[in-house]
Amino acid sequence: FTIGVWALPCLRAGFPGEDVGAGYAAVVGVAGFASALLGGVAADGLAAKAPAGKKAAARCLVPVAGSLAAAPLWALALNAPSYPTAVLFLALEFLAAECWIGPTTALLQQSVPATSRGAAQGCFTALTLVGGLAPLAVGAAVDSGC
């Protein structure tokens, strides 16, 4: 969630005069979409090779690995010497970071009874929204003097 909130302000501050909105939108649209699909494929592949009883744990490896790989790429994007280099690192970061979506949704759907899957997905989506708004709420609280 932090990247979604801070990417544009950081890119604007680091590269004034660049059309950072268009570059960020392309990164999110292309790399984010590709990462969601590839993360699901990778998680399914790991689960297929895992022994019985370990398939869910195997699926969890993809989001963990993606998060670990994304952190240094985010740092490289923020410290890039040029805007095109920053966009490249940001795209690689999104490829790594957004791989959690497919495996996490699949794990959620497998973990609850069929009669509760809609409610579980609704709760997951609502909590994702809350998580996405949390950095904005903290920033507003700080700005107001709380």
Side-chain angles (χ1 to χ4, degrees):
F1 300 116
T2 302
I3 294 164
V5 172
W6 290 108
L8 285 174
C10 289
L11 289 172
R12 280 191 194 116
F15 305 102
E18 295 286 349
D19 186 7
V20 297
Y24 181 70
V27 164
V28 172
V30 176
F33 177 74
S35 180
L37 290 177
L38 294 172
V41 170
D44 287 346
L46 288 172
K49 294 177 183 175
K54 299 288 185 184
K55 294 188 183 297
R59 285 187 199 284
C60 290
L61 293 176
V62 172
V64 169
S67 294
L68 293 173
L73 292 167
W74 174 236
L76 289 168
L78 292 178
N79 294 296
S82 68
Y83 179 67
T85 304
V87 170
L88 171 66
F89 282 127
L90 190 61
L92 293 172
E93 184 279 331
F94 261 83
L95 277 172
E98 298 305 313
C99 67
W100 67 271
I101 297 169
T104 303
T105 303
L107 286 164
L108 173 68
Q109 295 298 309
Q110 292 171 354
S111 300
V112 297
T115 56
S116 301
R117 288 183 182 153
Q121 187 62 48
C123 287
F124 176 76
T125 302
L127 290 172
T128 302
L129 173 64
V130 170
L133 294 175
L136 294 172
V138 170
V142 169
D143 288 347
S144 70
C146 289

